[in-house]
Amino acid sequence: MKLFGTDGVRGMAGEKLNAMLAMRLAMAAGIYFSKHSITKTILVGKDTRKSGYMIENAIVTGLTAVGYNVLQIGPMPTPAVAFLTEDMRCDCGIMISASHNPFFDNGIKFFDSFGNKLSVEAEKAIEDIYFDDNQINEAQVTGFEIGRSKRIDDVIGRYIVHIKNSFPHNLTLKGLRIVLDVSNGAAYKVAPTIFSELGAELIVLSDEPNGANINENCGALHPENLAKEVKHLRADIGFAFDGDADRLVVVDEKGEVVHGDALIGILTAFLDEQKMLEKKAIVATVMSNAALDDFLAKRKIKIIRSAVGDKFVLEKMKENGINFGGEQSGHIIFSDFAKTGDGLVSALQLGACLLTSGKKASELFKAIKPYPQILANLKISEKKSLDSLKGLKELEDELKNLGIRSLFRYSGTENLLRLLLEGKDKNLVNKKMKEVKEFFEKALG
């Protein structure tokens, strides 16, 4: 598709993602959702990027032009938009965010009336409408049929109650010293409120967004800052979120950043112990470390692999009747509590796990030691078909024979080729990554 990537539409604000594109995309989405409209209302949220004002106004213009009413809720986490779309009986939810990208990028994500991310087929249908001048022109309304917009500032309370209800009612965070890094992003208000109300002794970092400092040397992208504070303040644990708070990175009491697959593994074991894990199975992506498979196998828990992207994780979960899954990057889905990855739900579940076990965070996570895995990105000018690259099959076979797992894929949001090698011999993996890079640099020019 020309517009949609793996997670909505994303690009540099004012350039690829300009006001005209946002307005027309909103019109196309309005046309698509109006075919099965119930309330003729769409909810719009955003993170803290300065460009969110421009894109939000353009989206409101596009939606009202085709007869939709709009509820604007301001800066809120992506999972909050998913929850509130269903809770407030809207036909659709729209989140304006580029997640972990720098502030100069932005993005537009859509949710259906049940708070689910759209299927590839639905995104394709919206994109087809976007490029159809006749449909866009004919759908515009006049007079009293033009929609209206309303800004609502009090919905944060609904989401706070919802998130707090995911935490066991017989527990409190009292006695835990927690450091939160909210990344100058969408969770800067809601996260501290939730953890404070549940009784934690709280220290909050990066909670002064100015429109340009989202993800800047803070949050899930830079957990080293959180690690330093956790150790310095002798905290029990640290939680870092990304710009739209659908992702969680954890730091233990020693200041060590916890591997994403170790986080998934420990949470899986906790759910299993609490008799809350459906089908004795979880979903993880093709990126997840083989050490996770080995850890779960000892507990007779099955792991099903999906493509990269939390919406693909969720699709596999639905297909198999599974209620837990996640990505190595920190997108973790508890479908009993959320329709998408929710960093706050994940953090609270880990808090419950910590309290229930009576162990320190470092003790919990030492049970999983990921095998050496190297990730690398190559900048590219053109996404040529990998299947057409001469010698690639032979390279993959050679790596497999050496006991090295490989995964080569293009980024869905950037002009990057992502490379992954994993094996038990770190030196061999390092050596082979150099050869892999050289192969692709030559093959892709």
Side-chain angles (χ1 to χ4, degrees):
M1 290 190 284
K2 294 179 181 178
L3 295 178
F4 285 89
T6 53
D7 198 14
V9 178
R10 194 176 295 185
M12 182 177 283
E15 188 180 83
K16 177 186 174 182
L17 186 49
N18 56 32
M20 293 299 293
L21 185 150
M23 182 180 72
R24 191 175 175 105
L25 183 63
M27 294 171 77
I31 294 167
Y32 174 80
F33 284 103
S34 66
K35 295 172 184 176
H36 304 286
S37 174
I38 296 175
T39 62
K40 209 65 178 178
T41 302
I42 288 178
L43 182 138
V44 178
K46 61 182 179 178
D47 65 21
T48 56
R49 294 162 212 267
K50 186 178 181 182
S51 60
Y53 292 102
M54 172 190 74
I55 295 169
E56 180 183 27
N57 287 328
I59 286 174
V60 170
T61 299
L63 291 173
T64 54
V66 296
Y68 255 106
N69 297 321
V70 184
L71 300 178
Q72 298 167 259
I73 62 171
M76 287 285 278
T78 288
V81 172
F83 164 71
L84 291 167
T85 296
E86 181 179 30
D87 192 60
M88 299 179 73
R89 306 297 191 270
C90 296
D91 290 343
C92 163
I94 298 176
M95 178 64 182
I96 304 165
S97 175
S99 189
H100 58 275
N101 283 31
F103 89 95
F104 47 75
D105 285 342
N106 217 325
I108 301 173
K109 310 178 193 184
F110 295 93
F111 298 91
D112 66 19
S113 60
F114 299 103
N116 298 311
K117 286 188 177 180
L118 300 190
S119 66
V120 173
E121 292 75 21
E123 290 177 338
K124 177 69 166 58
I126 292 173
E127 188 164 309
D128 287 344
I129 297 170
Y130 176 95
F131 289 108
D132 187 335
D133 289 339
N134 288 333
Q135 283 202 71
I136 294 291
N137 292 330
E138 290 171 6
Q140 294 180 54
V141 298
T142 60
F144 198 72
E145 290 185 2
I146 294 172
R148 67 181 67 183
S149 68
K150 181 181 181 181
R151 189 168 292 279
I152 304 178
D153 298 318
D154 60 356
V155 293
I156 188 172
R158 293 193 189 207
Y159 181 60
I160 288 171
V161 170
H162 168 65
I163 294 299
K164 285 172 65 179
N165 281 336
S166 72
F167 188 73
H169 291 269
N170 62 321
L171 295 178
T172 172
L173 293 175
K174 191 174 182 180
L176 280 186
R177 179 178 290 182
I178 299 173
V179 183
L180 291 184
D181 187 336
V182 294
S183 195
N184 293 313
Y188 81 102
K189 286 183 180 178
V190 67
T193 303
I194 289 169
F195 282 87
S196 294
E197 288 186 4
L198 286 172
E201 181 185 345
L202 201 61
I203 301 97
V204 184
L205 311 176
S206 308
D207 62 340
E208 297 181 359
N210 62 16
N213 60 0
I214 187 171
N215 299 318
E216 185 179 35
N217 296 317
C218 60
L221 291 184
H222 298 278
E224 64 274 7
N225 300 324
L226 174 64
K228 193 183 298 181
E229 289 300 315
V230 167
K231 201 171 179 182
H232 171 69
L233 296 166
R234 297 180 182 177
D236 297 296
I237 200 161
F239 298 128
F241 307 107
D242 62 346
D244 65 339
D246 63 353
R247 178 177 164 192
L248 173 70
V249 170
V250 177
V251 170
D252 70 22
E253 84 285 355
K254 294 182 178 179
E256 296 293 324
V257 178
V258 176
H259 192 282
D261 286 321
L263 177 59
I264 292 172
I266 293 304
L267 286 171
T268 300
F270 173 65
L271 288 177
D272 190 43
E273 289 165 6
Q274 300 299 310
K275 311 297 182 189
M276 292 173 62
L277 187 68
E278 299 288 340
K279 303 284 184 75
K280 284 284 274 192
I282 71 162
V283 176
T285 75
V286 291
M287 297 284 287
S288 277
N289 198 285
L292 176 61
D293 298 67
D294 295 344
F295 174 79
L296 296 180
K298 293 174 184 175
R299 289 157 179 76
K300 297 182 180 179
I301 296 172
K302 184 180 178 183
I303 182 168
I304 296 171
R305 300 276 182 172
S306 77
V308 175
D310 63 340
K311 77 175 182 180
F312 299 116
V313 172
L314 187 57
E315 282 177 10
K316 283 285 184 186
M317 288 168 62
K318 288 179 179 177
E319 284 174 18
N320 293 277
I322 294 170
N323 66 339
F324 181 71
E327 294 190 277
Q328 185 186 75
S329 60
H331 292 107
I332 298 173
I333 303 171
F334 293 84
S335 65
D336 291 343
F337 308 121
K339 296 292 182 74
T340 184
D342 192 321
L344 294 172
V345 169
S346 301
L348 288 181
Q349 290 301 310
L350 185 57
C353 175
L354 203 62
L355 291 164
T356 304
S357 71
K359 296 179 179 178
K360 292 187 175 181
S362 60
E363 292 179 73
L364 273 179
F365 292 112
K366 73 179 182 182
I368 305 175
K369 188 175 181 181
Y371 304 134
Q373 187 182 82
I374 300 177
L375 300 171
N377 293 325
L378 285 182
K379 288 187 177 180
I380 53 167
S381 56
E382 181 186 356
K383 294 181 179 180
K384 297 178 182 177
S385 171
L386 296 182
D387 293 335
S388 67
L389 297 184
K390 188 177 179 181
L392 180 56
K393 178 68 167 60
E394 290 77 8
L395 176 61
E396 290 175 328
D397 288 343
E398 179 196 348
L399 292 168
K400 186 176 180 181
N401 291 334
L402 290 169
I404 296 175
R405 188 170 76 90
S406 63
L407 178 66
F408 311 130
R409 66 179 185 90
Y410 289 117
S411 165
T413 58
E414 302 171 84
N415 279 341
L416 294 174
L417 175 66
R418 302 199 189 279
L419 311 173
L420 179 150
L421 293 184
E422 176 188 299
K424 296 183 180 181
D425 185 332
K426 186 175 182 179
N427 292 330
L428 182 60
V429 173
N430 276 319
K431 178 185 175 185
K432 288 299 173 182
M433 179 57 86
K434 290 179 183 177
E435 294 178 15
V436 166
K437 284 182 178 179
E438 289 172 1
F439 170 84
F440 281 108
E441 284 167 356
K442 184 177 179 181
L444 297 174

